[in-house]
Structure formats: structure tokens, C-alpha cells
Amino acid sequence: MKKMNVLLLGSGGREHALARSFSLSPRLDKLFLAPGNAGSHSLGEPVDCSPTDFEGLAQIVEQDHIDFICVGPEQPLVEGVYDFFAERDVPVFGPSQAAAQLEGSKGFAKAFMSRHNIPTASYMEVTADSLEEGMRHLERVSGPYVLKADGLAAGKGVLILDSLDEAKSSLRNMIIEQQFGQSSARVVIEEFITGIEFSVFVLTDGKDYKILPTAKDYKRVGEGDTGLNTGGMGAVSPPPFVSEDIMHKVEHSIIQPTIKGLHQEGLIYHGVVYIGLILSEAGDFHVIEYNCRFGDPETQVVLPRITSDVLEACWSAATENLKNYKLSIDTQCASTVVVASKGYPEAYAKDLPMILPDPCHDAFIYHAGTKRHRDELVSNGGRVVSVTALGDDLKSSLTRAKEVAGQVQFDGAFYRADIGYEFI
Ligand code: AMP
Ligand code: GLY
């Protein structure tokens, strides 16, 4: 079995989780992290290069004899990192630039779903030229009004508004005042769907697919799902309401047409499709978003439940050999609780000295925004760490994750003590 040198792009908790899973693989020779964080640096060698500096990455690939690149965040994928290295014969875990539009353009994703009869909220696309039509559309439909910036907006580009006046002024702000820069030059107005959300992660090599553990994340900053949207304050896997029957329906009506649609349209996809879903009370599903990468912090609950080789899984997807990969999933439940810095998701302090609890066998601390300053561990982001625990049921994994999250110390540290509240 040939061992590999792997270059992992990204610096968050998701990438620490990938690094940890890769480090357990007998196929790993050396792991390089561009740029990683203080947690992942104990598992591999940091390289000082931005994930979107493709020329810089190419130098590292050559110098360090990299066999495989795994991409954590969406930005390099949307900017074409797959295509750049495909030309250089380096396998990349992630979709091509054309396929990454599933995340990079909400309008593209909606049109894709409509071409392939994938259930999703009805919508209208609006630009400066059709602004008046967009306003009339808002007047015709009833609230709440869902406005989505077409392009990437670091998870902030979705506005949900109760009043028509607010919706109209927000639509104008997004398009004319460029509230989210170029990303909101085009806006998707979507029908509001009521129900419970969960996410499925589908590993694909473009032909075959494997369904990874499902998860539910908690996006709002405040307890009781209040306050601003964040990248995610915690996650559980599996959400108990996602029955086998539900997954059968999701596979048939969403996963299969997605993978087949990508294939039919010649959209090269060697990675993970993250499908955000709403399950309505009537039992229907709607896709509310596609992402072209793993979720953060969902990865911190998805990967620890995979007992087969995760590096092998990603490599098999990247090299179109997923058919021969045998995926095994643990029956244990996983929960993760993010410890964030006061002020997040708005302005927050960095460089705060931190003290972490001692390592323990039943919980793991994934670093998200951390670095070393001289010999000291300091914060380096809004989401600072996420604590994952496994348990025989969600309640025990949640209890343990929260207990350890409460022991993480830095000035202004906070976490949502109600992650998983619906399930306990
Ligand atoms: P997104 O960035 O697409 O994940 O959207 C952020 C959040 O907005 C989602 O997690 C949902 O809670 C909510 N959302 C997005 N689209 C809809 C919709 N069509 N109906 C109701 N809620 C939505
Ligand atoms: N946790 C949400 C995301 O990764 O997009």
C-alpha cells in the first residue's frame, strides 16, 4: 500500500477534524497544513500559504512531493483549485470550479434543482435590471420573506424578514448598495419553508456515492435559537428524527438526482456534497442549500462516527474509485459544542491567552481559531474551539461535550448550553 503526502487546505475546526482522521490512516506519510491552527499543528507540518494562493500551493506540492490535496473551505473551490491542479495531475478532494457553483451561486443551484426535479422552495432571481419586478414579486407573496445573496457571503448572505417594507428595502440594499459586495448584485427571493432542518453529506467521485452520517447544526448565536446567524455554534449526529424511511426518501428524491444531474451535465465532482434540507410537518423535503465542502462544525460530529479510513474515503472520491471503498459508521452518537469569543459573530478580540482542560479519553477538543504566540496558546478567531464527545445516546454525548466546553478558559469565552435541546 503506497503511503501519501497530503496537503490539507484550511484553518478551522473542520480542518482539525480532517487532520485528526487522516492522522489515524495507515496510508498517511506526511501531512502538510496550509495553514492549519495550533491544534492541527500537532498532527502535521504547517506551511505558510493561503488556500487561495494556487501558485504558492503548487510550489509546496513540488517541493514536498504532495500526492493528494484535500480542500476544507469553499473559497478555493469556487476559485478553481480543482481545475488548477487537475492540469498538473494532482488529485484534489473537491469539485471542479463549474460544479462548485452549486455553492458559489444560489441562482445556479436553483436552476440545477429545477432542471433535475429536485424539491426546493419556489424562487425568483433578481438583478438591478429586474429590481422593479422583484419588488412586485415581494408584494404578491406573503412573508416571511427570504432573500439570498447569489454569491459567497461567509454564511451571512441570507436575510429572513417579516415585514414587506423591510424586505423591499433589503432587496434594494443588497442589489443597489451592494450590501454583500458583488455577491448580492444578484439576489434569489425564495418561498419561506417551515419545518426542521438537517444536513446530509454525500461523498461522490462523480459516478458513485456514499452517504456519510447526517447532522444538525445550530446556526444562531444565542440560546433558544435567538440572535445573529453564525457559522455554527454546535452540532449533533445523528439527529434522532431522521429515520431510515426519511433517508430512503432523501436518497431517492434528492441524492440520486443530484449525483446523476452532475454527471449528465459533465460537472466534475470529486468531493462531498453538503445538502441542507428542511423537513416540513407534512413530511415533504426541500433543499435549502448545497455546499461544495464539509460543514463546520458538522465535520466535528460526522468524522468521529466514521470507523473506516477517512483518508482512504477522500482519496477514493478524488481518484474515481469510490465503488471499492467500504464505509463503516459507528452506532454511537456525537455532539460538538463550539466555544466562541465574546462579541462573535460581530467584532471580537483575538490573541486572548487560553487554558484548555487536560486531554481526556471521552471528549476531544478541535481547535478552530487558535495559534501559538511564542510558547503560549492564544485565540485567533471568533469560534475558538469545538468540543466533541461520543456517547451511546445523544444525551450522554451532549452532557459530556458541554461539561468539557465549560472548562475551556479565556477571557469572554461562551458557548450555547442548549445545543441539542430538542433531543433531551
Ligand atoms: P443558508 O445560508 O442557505 O444555510 O441559510 C441560512 C439559514 O436560513 C438556514 O439555515 C435556514 O434556517 C434559513 N433558510 C434558508 N432558506 C430558507 C427557506 N427557504 N425557508 C426558511 N428558512 C430558510
Ligand atoms: N455549519 C454550516 C456550514 O458549514 O455551512
Side-chain angles (χ1 to χ4, degrees):
M1 182 171 54
K2 188 180 170 293
K3 289 199 167 214
M4 294 185 262
N5 284 348
V6 178
L7 176 61
L8 174 59
L9 310 188
S11 63
R14 163 182 53 208
E15 289 78 18
H16 188 189
L18 282 161
R20 179 161 180 250
S21 290
F22 287 178
S23 72
L24 302 172
S25 169
R27 293 215 53 186
L28 183 70
D29 190 358
K30 275 191 181 160
L31 179 62
F32 295 86
L33 305 147
N37 60 38
S40 61
H41 290 171
S42 65
L43 301 167
E45 192 176 312
V47 290
D48 187 15
C49 186
S50 153
T52 49
D53 173 6
F54 300 166
E55 293 293 345
L57 294 172
Q59 278 181 18
I60 293 160
V61 165
E62 195 170 310
Q63 191 181 298
D64 294 312
H65 309 287
I66 300 294
D67 301 295
F68 176 46
I69 301 176
C70 175
V71 188
E74 61 277 13
Q75 195 74 42
L77 293 165
V78 170
E79 291 183 23
V81 70
Y82 172 90
D83 311 70
F84 181 91
F85 284 103
E87 276 177 22
R88 290 159 180 78
D89 283 329
V90 186
V92 171
F93 179 77
S96 61
Q97 185 168 28
Q101 288 184 88
L102 279 188
E103 176 165 2
S105 164
K106 301 271 189 204
F108 177 90
K110 297 298 280 190
F112 176 87
M113 287 186 263
S114 128
R115 284 196 294 279
H116 299 286
N117 291 319
I118 296 167
T120 185
S122 61
Y123 77 109
M124 178 188 182
E125 222 175 289
V126 187
T127 61
D129 291 338
S130 53
L131 185 60
E132 288 318 311
E133 236 177 288
M135 295 293 183
R136 284 198 296 276
H137 177 81
L138 286 174
E139 282 162 12
R140 272 196 307 272
V141 298
S142 53
Y145 306 89
V146 182
L147 307 182
K148 300 186 169 183
D150 182 70
L152 294 183
K156 299 192 176 109
V158 176
L159 302 182
I160 298 182
L161 305 147
D162 287 322
S163 92
L164 177 62
D165 283 348
E166 259 185 313
K168 286 168 97 177
S169 65
S170 296
L171 182 64
R172 183 176 299 279
N173 266 343
M174 288 172 91
I175 294 176
I176 307 297
E177 311 299 332
Q178 306 215 325
Q179 185 180 352
F180 301 101
Q182 262 306 309
S183 289
S184 63
R186 187 179 291 270
V187 169
V188 167
I189 304 178
E190 219 174 72
E191 167 200 8
F192 182 84
I193 309 287
T194 314
I196 11 178
E197 287 179 43
F198 66 102
S199 306
V200 300
F201 302 90
V202 184
L203 198 62
T204 185
D205 60 6
K207 300 190 303 273
D208 293 295
Y209 66 85
K210 306 273 172 183
I211 304 173
L212 303 180
T214 51
K216 171 171 170 46
D217 80 337
Y218 293 79
K219 287 209 172 76
R220 301 294 199 94
V221 71
E223 293 186 6
D225 290 326
T226 54
L228 294 173
N229 258 324
T230 69
M233 293 297 290
V236 298
S237 175
F241 61 86
V242 184
S243 62
E244 244 177 70
D245 181 48
I246 289 182
M247 277 314 288
H248 253 102
K249 290 182 183 148
V250 168
E251 181 168 9
H252 180 75
S253 64
I254 294 169
I255 297 175
Q256 286 173 353
T258 299
I259 304 302
K260 205 164 146 206
L262 288 166
H263 189 70
Q264 278 173 354
E265 296 192 21
L267 296 166
I268 298 172
Y269 209 118
H270 295 164
V272 66
V273 192
Y274 164 153
I275 308 174
L277 295 165
I278 293 186
L279 170 62
S280 75
E281 261 181 38
D284 310 318
F285 306 100
H286 291 85
V287 174
I288 51 162
E289 63 169 342
Y290 282 117
N291 292 315
C292 63
R293 36 94 194 156
F294 279 112
D296 190 347
E298 295 94 320
T299 307
Q300 293 90 302
V301 289
V302 168
L303 297 189
R305 295 190 58 227
I306 299 177
T307 49
S308 46
D309 187 325
V310 172
L311 177 56
E312 185 75 40
C314 296
W315 170 255
S316 302
T319 55
E320 299 191 359
N321 197 22
L322 203 53
K323 195 167 59 184
N324 296 317
Y325 177 74
K326 171 109 185 52
L327 174 72
S328 333
I329 296 173
D330 201 333
T331 52
Q332 283 204 307
C333 300
S335 302
T336 200
V337 174
V338 169
V339 183
S341 194
K342 186 178 162 197
Y344 176 77
E346 297 188 290
Y348 53 82
K350 282 191 187 178
D351 300 311
L352 302 165
M354 303 170 54
I355 302 175
L356 296 181
D358 290 333
C360 51
H361 71 281
D362 60 350
F364 190 83
I365 299 178
Y366 292 106
H367 291 226
T370 67
K371 65 174 183 187
R372 290 215 175 262
H373 179 64
R374 301 202 176 98
D375 262 345
E376 195 178 31
L377 179 65
V378 297
S379 72
N380 190 35
R383 293 189 291 176
V384 179
V385 297
S386 74
V387 180
T388 296
L390 289 162
D392 291 336
D393 51 33
L394 268 187
K395 188 174 177 195
S396 60
S397 73
L398 280 162
T399 305
R400 186 63 185 138
K402 287 171 195 173
E403 197 169 56
V404 177
Q407 295 164 9
V408 174
Q409 295 176 44
F410 56 87
D411 202 18
F414 74 95
Y415 65 95
R416 269 185 65 173
D418 71 336
I419 298 297
Y421 63 89
E422 324 92 297
F423 309 128
I424 46 181

